[in-house]
Amino acid sequence: MPTHPAKTALRRAGRVLSAVGFVIAVALCADTVSAAPTPKPLPDPTPVVSTVPAAAPDLRAPDIQAILDRGELIVAMTERDQPPFYYVGPDGQLVGLDATLAHDIASRLGVKASFNRSPKSFNEVVELVAKGGADVAISKLSRTLARAQMVRFTKPYVTFRHAMLFNRLRLAQHTSEESLPKLLRGLKGKVGVIGQSSYEGFLGQYFPSATAVPFKNWDEAVAAVFAGHVLAVYRDEMEIQKINQSRKDASLSLKPVIYKDMKDPIAMAVAWNRPHLAAWLDVYLDSFVTDQRATDILRTYGPTKEKP
Amino acid sequence: MNSTAAGGSAATPIKASRAAMLKHPLVILLSIVAGVGLGILAKDVAKMLAPIGDLYLFFIQMSVYPILVTAIISGLARLIKARSAGGNLLRMTIVFVACMLIASVFGLLTGLVGEPGGDLDEQARQVLGQLINQSDGNVLEVSLSDPSGDSVRRQVDFWDFLRMLVPPNIFQALNLGLALQIVFFSIIFGIALGNIRSEASDLLINFLLSVLEAFQQLIAWSLYGLPFALVCLIATQVASVGVEIFSAMLKFTVLFWSVGAVLFVLSTLVIWLRSGVRNPLHVLRSLCDPIMISFATRSSFAALPASISAMQNDLRFERESVSLMLPLGITIGRYGNIIYFALASLFVVQLYNQPLSAAELTIIVTGSVFAGMATAGSSGILTLAMIGIVLTPLGLPVEAVLIIMMAVDAVIDPMRTFLIVYMNIAATALIVRRTDATVPAALEASVRPPQRRHVNEAERVAW
């Protein structure tokens, strides 16, 4: 059992997260974590308790055994970087929250992580896993009912709220500020989303009067809302807040709105016929304090951290 | 005000002259320089001085509403009794409306020529963007399923303005200092008082006059403290100006102060011509107190008592009319705010690259006048929020601009307040006659005994 790489991965994750006072408590000291769920950084994770007790080889579930036999965990992600979840860092390595999780999970299983980044959209990631092309999707995936028909989702490891970014000028032409919340509930007009993403589905589900305008990627959608070609763009709160970091003058022309009762749980996905892998991942995720807020993730993994 | 102060107090001549030194323009100027210096060099000291300046401001504000009410009611009642109300009021309306439109057009032209929001550089846009981003409430959180948690912040429109005019409860209006409602009530009440028989009304009119003069006396005394207050008030103001936002909005600020300077010269010219004083510098010297109070306190109403005194005593305009017109003017004719709203609207139009047609220009000119009127008695953010009256019909976003306007207001507000006060003095000078012109027979019939007026004039001490 190669414990050493696991520990390094663990330390790295622990260091980054504890820097903002947040614990991603890792399975190393599962008891300690459940007993003390305070957001206090854990002490240095020296292996006082042994990491993963090796199970008797012949009793392992077949879906886990298949991964161990192969010696690598194939993780599906979209072709396009999604900082701060996964992106190619300055040294050419894949970094970010999802990448850290993937490496940590693989080392828990005692295998290496390899990444399949052929999917062009989030829905294609789900399809890839459903077809058996990858063991698990760790790709900032939103849980949706449509996707859950194909794959088995784990517990969410991050929960975002839905958010929109409005073009202020178009918004002012639509309504006075007085009736703004009312307008936001019965939204009409053109709303930009990433094509083949969960938010394309959410829009039809929660805002039936709005017209979805699918874009190839998020950057094009954001450019469109800046130009006023669409009234708003729709995604999770973190992506909405990130725009202010990349374009400091964004607030002059754009207005962020968060739908506080609309949750976007981000979870991993495995094929439906691999229930035990999903159950194992839930056990793994249970050892986390999973109430991470978008701002904290953004601060820890955000694009500002990319370039030191 | 010199007269009342010297006449009212039982001070010895030596003591009086020493105290009078405090009102010398040079002393005032020195205290301003000291205030600016303190604000720049010793921000900590400036912050410690803030409560002293506030106390002075409170003392003046304490007298403002009683003066507002008694001056308008007694002034209007006496004008009606003297049967000279009609002509005066007509003249007043014409002058007020003309001045408001002039102010609005001045602001509009400044914005069209100067293009305050036209070519903001990238750095300025980033400073403004970050400012909005960091402000509270920039991120709106709504619930999709539950409308009960909606914030009830409302935008101001034209009907709100009308609603603001009529007080449902005059005592509440007085209590909350809602100037427009108080003035509306005072006008109505003054007209009623002027129309009842003299035996019934004289007592109340005289009572109101006593209250008015007592409060003016208080203000006259308080002016001896003005140099000290100026140091505190100005130091605090200077220390609170953020340099970064100021540089991002430099063009807007410079434009506003420039149009203010032009209107200052024009107003001075009007006052000088109407006052009949030979030396225009004497006009400025007489108006030194109201000018300085308006700049330092950033409250036009705080400058009202000193303005009335200066016009009545130093520039010798008709007492009754001045004490009616000036309070009315400062309440309704918010010239500084009108110019500001017109210029700020142009800033927004240019910031969002919107085309301007004749219809939109008309909306800006008239909207700014109403927005200006709606600011009576409000201060701070409430004043600035009235820009919604202009921007909403234009379909322009208010919120982001409001945050910028608030941030930069520390350097704009003094000029805005000054313009309200000074242009009103000019407008009043246009409406009101001077006392040493032939006294109209109507005034003889006024309730105020003419003898008292002569005593006052005899008491007048030259500067």
Side-chain angles (χ1 to χ4, degrees), chain B residues 19 48 57 112 119 122 132 152 156 160 168 171 181 189 217 221 298 308 334 371 374 377 383 387 398 422 436 441:
Chain B
M48 270 155 45
L57 189 54
L112 285 176
D119 46 352
E122 190 53 31
I132 299 164
V152 283
V156 197
D160 286 324
F171 297 103
Q181 298 191 349
F189 192 76
Q217 179 68 77
W221 283 332
R298 296 187 273 178
I308 295 177
R334 314 286 288 171
T383 303
I387 200 174
V398 180
Y422 204 70
D436 50 7

Side-chain angles (χ1 to χ4, degrees), chain B residues 81-84 318 433 437-447 450:
Chain B
K81 295 262 174 213
R83 310 214 180 281
S84 62
E318 261 176 32
R433 272 175 291 241
T438 45
V439 181
L443 271 178
E444 305 290 347
S446 81
V447 188

Side-chain angles (χ1 to χ4, degrees), chain B residues 71-304:
Chain B
I72 293 178
I73 297 178
S74 65
L76 199 54
R78 283 191 294 158
L79 274 183
I80 290 171
K81 295 262 174 213
R83 310 214 180 281
S84 62
N88 255 310
L89 289 182
L90 182 70
R91 206 179 156 92
M92 181 194 84
T93 314
I94 293 168
V95 170
F96 278 9
V97 171
C99 283
M100 285 194 244
L101 287 176
I102 289 170
S104 196
V105 169
F106 258 84
L108 183 82
L109 290 179
T110 314
L112 285 176
V113 175
E115 297 208 324
D119 46 352
L120 283 181
D121 58 26
E122 190 53 31
Q123 203 198 338
R125 287 182 70 91
Q126 289 190 0
V127 170
L128 300 182
Q130 289 299 87
L131 180 81
I132 299 164
N133 189 29
Q134 283 154 15
S135 68
D136 293 340
N138 178 43
V139 180
L140 177 66
E141 295 197 2
V142 293
S143 160
L144 187 73
S145 52
D146 174 22
S148 62
D150 285 354
S151 58
V152 283
R153 206 177 81 201
R154 298 191 56 241
Q155 205 147 356
V156 197
D157 62 16
F158 181 72
W159 292 109
D160 286 324
F161 169 69
L162 288 184
R163 232 175 274 135
M164 278 169 10
L165 216 54
V166 187
N169 176 350
I170 179 59
F171 297 103
Q172 192 188 24
L174 285 168
N175 207 359
L176 298 176
L178 306 172
L180 266 187
Q181 298 191 349
I182 295 172
V183 166
F184 178 84
F185 165 80
S186 304
I187 293 173
I188 300 292
F189 192 76
I191 292 173
L193 191 62
N195 278 305
I196 59 178
R197 59 202 163 79
S198 292
E199 305 90 76
S201 63
D202 285 358
L203 182 67
L204 182 54
I205 293 176
N206 276 322
F207 168 76
L208 291 171
L209 281 174
S210 308
V211 175
L212 175 61
E213 279 185 30
F215 272 107
Q216 280 189 286
Q217 179 68 77
L218 271 181
I219 295 292
W221 283 332
S222 77
L223 287 179
Y224 289 103
L226 185 61
F228 308 106
L230 280 178
V231 175
C232 304
L233 286 166
I234 289 179
T236 320
Q237 260 186 56
V238 172
S240 68
V241 174
V243 178
E244 205 183 26
I245 173 74
F246 175 65
S247 64
M249 291 292 285
L250 187 64
K251 199 172 175 188
F252 181 86
T253 312
V254 168
L255 280 175
F256 185 70
W257 277 72
S258 308
V259 69
V262 170
L263 286 166
F264 166 70
V265 172
L266 285 180
S267 302
T268 311
L269 208 65
V270 167
I271 301 166
W272 175 53
L273 290 175
R274 289 285 299 171
S275 70
V277 178
R278 222 170 266 143
N279 187 352
L281 282 179
H282 178 75
V283 173
L284 287 182
R285 195 173 158 155
S286 310
L287 295 172
C288 186
D289 286 339
I291 292 173
M292 291 310 155
I293 292 175
S294 60
F295 267 115
T297 64
R298 296 187 273 178
S299 158
S300 51
F301 283 104
L304 172 65

Side-chain angles (χ1 to χ4, degrees), chain A residues 161 168-169 172-173 176-178 180-182 184-185 206-207 244 248-262, chain B residues 122 125-126 129-130 132-133 137-145 147 150 153-155 351-352 354 395-400 404:
Chain A
R161 295 172 296 176
R168 285 190 194 272
L169 198 57
Q173 287 156 359
S176 67
E177 264 174 66
E178 188 181 334
L180 186 56
K182 220 168 127 195
L184 293 175
R185 274 189 285 276
Y206 297 114
F207 303 98
N244 276 318
K248 295 211 182 301
D249 63 341
S251 295
L252 270 181
S253 31
L254 302 178
K255 162 96 184 161
V257 170
I258 290 176
Y259 291 93
K260 57 187 176 190
D261 57 347
M262 290 166 70
Chain B
E122 190 53 31
R125 287 182 70 91
Q126 289 190 0
Q130 289 299 87
I132 299 164
N133 189 29
N138 178 43
V139 180
L140 177 66
E141 295 197 2
V142 293
S143 160
L144 187 73
S145 52
D150 285 354
R153 206 177 81 201
R154 298 191 56 241
Q155 205 147 356
L351 183 72
Y352 290 110
Q354 291 301 293
L396 289 170
V398 180
E399 186 196 38
I404 299 175

Side-chain angles (χ1 to χ4, degrees), chain B residues 421-437:
Chain B
V421 173
Y422 204 70
M423 286 184 72
N424 264 304
I425 293 176
T428 307
L430 275 177
I431 303 165
V432 178
R433 272 175 291 241
R434 299 198 64 213
T435 37
D436 50 7

